[in-house]
């Protein structure tokens, strides 16, 4: 990872405790990406959700390697994201920013947008998330994935 992105990542992690201190909980997520060139990959996330009605969410995630892409393989990608959730009853939408450690045909540029929509019931939740640079440069197909989360 480029030195400046390490600094940004360190700043995000340093600011995380104030954003998340009155948290609703720590969560673990497991999912699978949408197929690109016929290949899906696993997704793992760790997140912290604030306690407000419309909370902040700090996430870190792992996207598995894609070996069979037409142009070139995509390596394992790790990301950190900060997003804001808007909730209505048990439904939510979210939007924020993310940083990735590896550029590829699927995700180009280290800066990304992180969006989602989902449903939460008690400690578990289901959502669809999208990670993309919003067509701000390079070939960026983006990653869309379904995620099952459990909060502690």
């Amino acid at each position: 990872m480029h030195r400046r992105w390490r600094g940004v990542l360190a700043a995000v992690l340093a600011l995380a405790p104030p954003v998340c201190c009155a948290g609703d909980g720590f969560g673990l997520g497991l999912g699978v990406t949408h197929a690109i060139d016929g290949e899906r990959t696993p997704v793992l996330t760790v997140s912290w959700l604030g306690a407000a009605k419309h909370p902040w969410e700090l996430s870190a995630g792992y996207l598995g390697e894609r070996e069979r892409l037409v142009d070139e393989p995509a390596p394992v990608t790790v990301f950190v994201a900060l997003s804001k959730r808007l909730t209505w009853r048990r439904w939510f939408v979210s939007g924020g920013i993310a940083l990735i450690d590896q550029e590829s045909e699927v995700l180009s540029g280290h800066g990304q947008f992180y969006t989602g929509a989902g449903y939460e019931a008690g400690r578990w939740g289901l959502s669809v998330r999208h990670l993309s640079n919003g067509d701000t440069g390079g070939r960026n197909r983006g990653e869309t994935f379904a995620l099952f989360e459990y909060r502690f």
Side-chain angles (χ1 to χ4, degrees):
M1 184 183 326
H2 192 275
R3 184 176 300 179
R4 86 172 159 217
W5 292 110
R6 287 184 192 144
V8 172
L9 175 58
V12 167
L13 294 176
L15 294 172
V19 169
C20 302
C21 63
D24 191 33
F26 170 77
L28 294 175
L30 179 62
V32 64
T33 62
H34 181 265
I36 295 179
D37 293 345
E39 184 177 16
R40 296 179 188 275
T41 186
V43 179
L44 300 170
T45 63
V46 178
S47 62
W48 185 267
L49 188 64
K53 176 175 167 95
H54 302 294
W56 287 97
E57 180 179 26
L58 180 65
S59 304
Y62 163 95
L63 300 164
E65 180 179 23
R66 291 183 185 272
E67 299 174 345
R68 298 186 312 248
L69 295 181
V70 172
D71 292 332
E72 65 182 69
V76 166
T77 303
V78 176
F79 67 89
V80 293
L82 180 64
S83 57
K84 182 72 169 175
R85 280 192 181 191
L86 301 176
T87 60
W88 182 72
R89 300 187 185 188
R90 294 181 179 203
W91 296 94
F92 70 88
V93 295
S94 64
I97 57 172
L99 296 173
I100 61 170
D101 71 334
Q102 297 285 329
E103 291 188 48
S104 68
E105 174 189 339
V106 179
L107 295 169
S108 59
H110 290 286
Q112 302 285 316
F113 296 102
Y114 188 56
T115 57
Y119 180 83
E120 284 196 334
R123 295 191 174 272
W124 65 269
L126 293 171
S127 63
V128 174
R129 307 290 179 114
H130 184 72
L131 189 61
S132 169
N133 75 4
D135 202 23
T136 59
R139 182 168 187 205
N140 188 12
R141 295 171 153 188
E143 288 282 13
T144 301
F145 50 93
L147 192 64
F148 171 80
E149 285 186 287
Y150 184 80
R151 296 220 170 270
F152 298 93

